Amino acid sequence: MRYEKISLCENDPDIYLEAYVAEKVGTYTRKAILVIPGGGYGGVCADREGEPIALAFIPYGYNAFVLHYSVARRNAFPAQIIEAARAIKHIKDNAEEYNIDPDELFTVGFSAGGHLTACTGTLWKHPAIYEALDMPYGYNKPKGTMLIYPVLDDHFFSFCNLLGTSEPTEEQLDQVRLAKHVDADTAPVFMMHTANDQEVDVRNALRYALALTDVGHKFEMHVYPDAPHGIALANDITECNFPGWKNDSIAEWVRLAAKWAEQL
């Protein structure tokens, strides 16, 4: 496997991609997945929601890329959606080098990273993206988004970090409450959440699901009864000596997400 670190911003070394590219086998062409770790837009939790997730998707026929994006109020929205679009553009522009099908690119994200992942599926046509990047309209839209215990429209702490202010206006908040932005052009969605998540209320996912239903979108959603926020892979790899972060049933989500993507 080849590992590569790719800068996405000349002036900020903290904005970059990590590429995990499997050795080519015959003529087999892989899918691509952009992994977006969480961290409340205050940090990037790449130790548990970055490389372990990337490596978990490799056996399902993906090459994987982990996005490190603007956090801690250093750059306010819409900087993050531009960075995600830049990452997608880089992956697609270099599809042959990475041995991936550019039409088979998915995004997966966790918590606040789930919010940015959902942005790739809902806000892909935001004018700021096309002002910043020279690319065809829709080039940055993923084939599907996988949202894992995602922040979507109700997490004030994360939104303050994203918007760069401790006192966001309702107008600013509405820009990033993603259930309000779901429409017929929203990318297909897979969601996983837990019913008793005390950090990010499951109603984030439920409201997003309702918005998808309102526009006639099909989606796949798994709500498990009992697990704390941040469960990641739900197995030994990301348990980190915290028993609540291991759950054999929830650990099936990667396989289920890959199967969902295969059927799109």
Side-chain angles (χ1 to χ4, degrees), residues 112-254:
H115 180 271
L116 185 50
T117 299
C119 287
T120 69
T122 55
L123 299 182
W124 59 266
K125 51 190 170 181
H126 195 291
I129 293 172
Y130 296 95
E131 292 172 5
L133 304 176
D134 182 13
M135 63 183 177
Y137 186 71
Y139 191 63
N140 55 308
K141 181 182 178 181
K143 185 171 182 179
T145 60
M146 305 171 187
L147 314 180
I148 313 303
Y149 43 88
V151 169
L152 291 168
D153 65 356
D154 180 24
H155 200 256
F156 192 72
F157 170 79
S158 294
F159 288 164
C160 286
N161 285 333
L162 174 61
L163 295 166
T165 175
S166 298
E167 298 181 350
T169 66
E170 283 299 308
E171 183 178 1
Q172 287 176 307
L173 289 169
D174 282 348
Q175 291 182 67
V176 297
R177 287 170 171 156
L178 296 182
K180 293 179 176 291
H181 297 279
V182 168
D183 61 20
D185 296 324
T186 296
V189 176
F190 174 97
M191 282 188 281
M192 188 278 277
H193 214 118
T194 57
N196 64 345
D197 188 324
Q198 295 184 346
E199 178 63 33
V200 176
D201 196 302
V202 69
R203 281 173 284 196
N204 277 262
L206 296 174
R207 282 191 287 265
Y208 197 72
L210 181 58
L212 291 165
T213 301
D214 286 343
V215 298
H217 265 324
K218 295 179 181 179
F219 58 90
E220 183 167 333
M221 183 177 185
H222 300 265
V223 178
Y224 295 91
D226 183 28
H229 189 69
I231 198 166
L233 290 175
N235 62 16
D236 290 336
I237 296 170
T238 57
E239 180 190 14
C240 297
N241 297 316
F242 178 48
W245 278 344
K246 184 178 179 182
N247 184 302
D248 291 342
S249 295
I250 298 176
E252 289 290 302
W253 77 260
V254 175

Side-chain angles (χ1 to χ4, degrees), residues 12 14-15 37-45 68-77 79-80 83 112 116 157-166:
D12 192 337
D14 293 331
I15 311 303
Y41 284 113
V44 178
C45 298
H68 294 251
Y69 52 96
S70 289
V71 293
R73 306 192 187 188
R74 291 171 59 189
N75 296 298
F77 178 86
Q80 294 79 5
E83 292 158 7
L116 185 50
F157 170 79
S158 294
F159 288 164
C160 286
N161 285 333
L162 174 61
L163 295 166
T165 175
S166 298

Side-chain angles (χ1 to χ4, degrees), residues 91-118:
I91 296 166
K92 287 189 173 184
D93 284 352
N94 295 278
E96 185 173 356
E97 176 189 347
Y98 292 133
N99 186 36
I100 59 101
D101 181 345
D103 295 325
E104 294 286 334
L105 184 147
F106 294 82
T107 55
V108 60
F110 304 79
S111 193
H115 180 271
L116 185 50
T117 299

